[in-house]
């Protein structure tokens, strides 16, 4: 109870409450605007959070992260255009329901399923806290290095059909992190005699360029669009009653979301696919899927909203982000010298619990806001896309310049923006670049620290957790190689 009271005191500040309110409401609004998404919003807001207390900045970012998918369901259901990429599956069932006059029912189901998935994930996170607090101190430099390496491998392998490209992008991100003055021996790396490269390539500059500025370019070059949706009449709470009818699907989808959220590089898309497939295969009416099935809508929205809280598990316990958004949040920790990992659970457990409570509060705020403001949000859908693109571009450069008051940073961000635009045009994976930068830095630091105590290669895996992580890496790579071999053999046999 003392720990809970301490966590409540951390949250019971006007600036934390304001950050939660702004983040949660802002996340819903941003999610409802097709073509923007949480990654762009967090990238733009990130520089401003560096001047705030850690809990204030993280509350705002968590608000956007956790609420954007709520808002993304609105255009996905009403105009067949997902507000965020992870709401794409919602269009399969939401749009047919709207076409047959059940828009209110579809939105109500989406809100209730999203809220259930988020709360389910937060409860799992809270229940896992004692286990994390017990396991986290067992992770030393070797274990964290192997966990980060496993994260890079999983991120790459998650890009099915683009594994080679994803590996190259991750390597590019790792290389970007090495540029500049090396802190141990103070040697210059890849600066080529250019003094402006001595400070290295800032992660936030790359994030704003690859995500925000590139998306602004996409919105500006595409034809201007203005969507229109009919207002919703009636209450939106009936979805909770219908959710109870499909409680098996909701529970399974929430579980998939938690499991996939904990694994680096997997995230919402895999959780949705597994949940949707499970719901369809176990449904009494599988033929209704794709034609407005409430089970399919529940599976999709429950799974994707269960991921954000679960994704905080590797971030808080080991300091290892699982995807781009948590990688951005990691920078907020580092700026304020709050280092996620084993020490956080040992020394600042009240801070960890405060984050859990913040996640819970923001979902309540989002639900209340949506119940009363859905029709107002329909006006957001009508904003012209080129106006949004110009606003994103302007805010991005303001954010970059505010980092170090440097025109060079703006030029670098513009360069990465052009690179990101090209990558999006050719459907190249962007997320591995960011995770490569973050995880590459962790791997380098932990490898250097651990090598001082390692005499032979076997010493690196002579502890139980290190050996277990090494074994998992071998199994993951062997399983993937076996899958490739089977695919190659079946293709060769079918070609005969």
């Amino acid at each position: 109870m003392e720990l809970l009271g301490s966590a409540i005191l951390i949250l019971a500040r006007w600036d934390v409450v304001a950050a939660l309110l702004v983040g949660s409401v802002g996340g819903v609004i941003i999610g409802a605007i097709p073509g923007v998404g949480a990654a762009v919003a967090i990238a733009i807001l990130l520089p401003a959070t560096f001047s705030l207390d850690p809990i204030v900045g993280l509350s705002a970012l968590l608000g956007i992260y956790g609420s954007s998918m709520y808002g993304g369901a609105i255009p996905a259901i009403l105009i067949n255009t997902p507000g965020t990429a992870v709401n794409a599956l919602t269009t399969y069932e939401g749009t047919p329901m709207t076409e047959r006059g059940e828009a209110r029912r579809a939105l109500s189901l989406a809100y209730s399923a999203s809220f259930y998935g988020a709360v389910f994930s937060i409860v799992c996170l809270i229940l896992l806290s004692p286990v994390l607090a017990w396991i986290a101190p067992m992770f030393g430099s070797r274990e964290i290095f192997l966990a980060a390496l496993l994260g890079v491998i999983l991120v790459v392998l998650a890009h099915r059909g683009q594994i080679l490209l994803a590996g190259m992008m991750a390597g590019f991100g790792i290389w970007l992190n090495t540029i500049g003055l090396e802190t141990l021996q103070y040697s210059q790396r890849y600066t080529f005699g250019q003094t402006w490269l001595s400070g290295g390539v800032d992660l936030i500059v790359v994030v704003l360029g690859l995500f925000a500025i590139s998306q602004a370019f996409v919105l500006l070059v595409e034809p201007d669009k203005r969507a229109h949706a009919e207002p919703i009449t009636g209450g939106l709470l009936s979805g909770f009653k219908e959710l109870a009818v499909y409680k098996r699907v909701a529970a399974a989808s929430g579980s998939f979301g938690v499991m996939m959220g904990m694994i680096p590089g997997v995230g919402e898309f895999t959780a949705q696919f597994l949940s949707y497939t499970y719901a369809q295969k176990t449904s009494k009416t599988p033929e209704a899927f794709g034609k407005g099935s409430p089970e399919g809508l529940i599976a999709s929205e429950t799974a994707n909203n269960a991921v954000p809280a679960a994704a905080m598990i590797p971030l808080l316990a080991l300091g290892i982000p699982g995807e781009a958004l948590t990688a951005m949040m990691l920078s907020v920790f580092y700026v304020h010298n709050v280092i996620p990992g084993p020490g956080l659970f040992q020394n600042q457990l009240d801070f960890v619990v405060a984050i859990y409570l913040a996640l819970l509060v923001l979902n309540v705020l989002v639900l209340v806001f949506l119940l009363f403001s859905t029709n107002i949000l329909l006006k957001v859908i009508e904003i012209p896309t080129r106006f949004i693109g110009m606003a994103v571009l302007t805010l991005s450069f303001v954010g970059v310049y505010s980092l170090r008051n440097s025109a060079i940073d703006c030029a670098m961000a513009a360069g990465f923006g052009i690179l990101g635009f090209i990558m999006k045009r050719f459907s190249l994976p962007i997320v591995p670049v960011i995770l490569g930068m973050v995880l590459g830095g962790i791997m380098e630091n932990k490898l250097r620290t651990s090598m001082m105590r390692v005499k032979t290669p076997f010493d690196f895996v002579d502890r139980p957790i290190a050996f277990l992580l090494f074994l998992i890496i071998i199994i993951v790579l062997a399983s993937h190689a076996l899958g490739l071999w089977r695919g190659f053999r079946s293709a060769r046999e079918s070609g005969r």
Side-chain angles (χ1 to χ4, degrees):
M1 289 301 293
E2 183 180 348
L3 181 63
L4 182 62
S6 179
I8 292 173
L9 284 176
I10 292 175
L11 289 181
R13 293 166 33 186
W14 72 267
D15 51 355
V16 177
V17 174
L20 279 171
L21 188 62
V22 170
S24 56
V25 173
V28 172
I29 295 171
I30 287 160
I33 304 173
V36 182
V40 174
I42 288 177
I44 293 171
L45 187 61
L46 203 55
T49 60
F50 292 163
S51 60
L52 306 174
D53 285 351
I55 189 63
V56 178
L58 284 171
S59 296
L61 298 182
L62 284 172
I64 294 172
Y65 183 27
S67 63
S68 61
M69 286 175 282
Y70 281 89
I74 297 173
I77 290 170
L78 298 181
I79 60 172
N80 198 25
T81 304
T84 69
V86 295
N87 293 110
L89 203 58
T90 304
T91 61
Y92 290 12
E93 312 300 340
T95 302
M97 292 178 76
T98 299
E99 290 172 350
R100 63 175 185 241
E102 298 180 358
R104 184 185 65 81
R105 180 191 178 199
L107 283 174
S108 182
L109 273 175
Y111 294 166
S112 56
S114 298
F115 183 77
Y116 169 79
V119 172
F120 179 86
S121 183
I122 295 165
V123 170
C124 290
L125 184 60
I126 293 171
L127 294 176
L128 282 171
S129 290
V131 180
L132 294 174
W134 175 65
I135 293 176
M138 300 180 186
F139 277 75
S141 298
R142 282 172 271 181
E143 288 80 6
I144 293 177
F145 167 80
L146 289 169
L149 178 60
L150 177 61
V152 172
I153 292 170
L154 290 173
V155 166
V156 171
L157 296 183
H159 290 78
R160 297 186 181 276
Q162 292 185 309
I163 290 175
L164 181 59
L165 288 170
M168 292 172 63
M169 293 300 107
F172 177 61
I174 292 172
W175 174 73
L176 284 176
N177 185 71
T178 64
I179 296 174
L181 185 65
E182 184 266 324
T183 55
L184 190 64
Q185 298 179 345
Y186 297 102
S187 59
Q188 299 281 347
R189 299 190 297 190
Y190 302 111
T191 57
F192 307 106
Q194 302 296 315
T195 55
W196 57 274
L197 283 174
S198 298
V201 179
D202 194 279
L203 173 66
I204 310 306
V205 172
V206 179
V207 165
L208 279 164
L210 290 180
F211 285 95
I213 296 176
S214 66
Q215 187 61 27
F217 290 158
V218 170
L219 294 172
L220 288 170
V221 300
E222 289 183 347
D224 211 4
K225 299 175 184 176
R226 290 188 71 164
H228 177 73
E230 294 298 325
I232 304 298
T233 57
L236 292 168
L237 278 173
S238 59
F240 284 99
K241 294 180 181 178
E242 198 164 358
L243 189 68
V245 176
Y246 301 108
K247 53 183 178 293
R248 175 186 54 81
V249 173
S253 301
S255 301
F256 280 123
V258 170
M259 288 188 290
M260 296 303 104
M262 288 190 294
I263 302 173
V266 179
E268 294 92 348
F269 292 105
T270 306
Q272 278 184 315
F273 175 77
L274 292 174
S275 303
Y276 191 83
T277 304
Y278 168 82
Q280 187 175 26
K281 288 185 176 180
T282 58
S283 174
K284 295 178 181 178
T285 56
E287 69 281 356
F289 279 69
K291 301 174 183 177
S293 168
E295 289 179 276
L297 185 59
I298 289 170
S300 171
E301 287 298 305
T302 301
N304 64 26
N305 280 274
V307 170
M312 298 300 291
I313 292 174
L315 179 70
L316 295 173
L318 303 175
I320 297 173
E323 37 77 67
L325 299 181
T326 47
M328 296 181 203
M329 292 182 199
L330 185 62
S331 62
V332 179
F333 282 98
Y334 284 150
V335 163
H336 294 282
N337 202 30
V338 178
I339 309 301
L344 191 64
F345 279 84
Q346 288 179 304
N347 306 320
Q348 293 178 274
L349 190 57
D350 56 344
F351 183 83
V352 175
V353 175
I355 291 176
Y356 298 165
L357 294 178
L359 285 167
L360 190 60
V361 170
L362 76 87
N363 279 281
V364 174
L365 289 173
V366 169
L367 184 64
V368 172
F369 175 70
L370 284 171
L371 292 177
F372 294 100
S373 307
T374 295
N375 283 330
I376 297 174
L377 288 171
L378 298 184
K379 300 296 181 183
V380 174
I381 298 174
E382 300 177 2
I383 298 175
T385 53
R386 283 185 175 172
F387 176 83
I388 296 169
M390 185 54 68
V392 169
L393 189 65
T394 303
L395 291 172
S396 297
F397 280 116
V398 169
V400 171
Y401 189 77
S402 68
L403 286 172
R404 295 184 288 198
N405 296 332
S406 170
I408 291 175
D409 283 348
C410 292
M412 291 176 69
F416 281 109
I418 295 170
L419 175 63
F421 176 76
I422 295 170
M423 292 173 72
K424 287 178 178 179
R425 283 298 190 195
F426 288 94
S427 299
L428 301 178
I430 293 177
V431 171
V433 178
I434 303 302
L435 291 178
M437 286 191 71
V438 175
L439 294 177
I442 294 171
M443 288 166 60
E444 181 183 8
N445 292 332
K446 298 304 178 182
L447 181 62
R448 281 182 164 179
T449 304
S450 60
M451 289 305 291
M452 292 188 289
R453 302 181 181 89
V454 172
K455 304 299 181 183
T456 68
F458 297 103
D459 292 342
F460 209 88
V461 292
D462 63 351
R463 295 194 296 211
I465 294 180
F467 179 76
L468 179 62
L469 288 168
F470 177 73
L471 192 62
I472 292 172
I473 290 172
I474 298 298
I475 291 171
V476 167
L477 292 175
S479 299
H480 180 69
L482 183 62
L484 289 177
W485 168 248
R486 285 175 176 171
F488 172 76
R489 189 172 63 180
S490 63
R492 188 173 61 180
E493 290 175 354
S494 64
R496 289 178 180 175

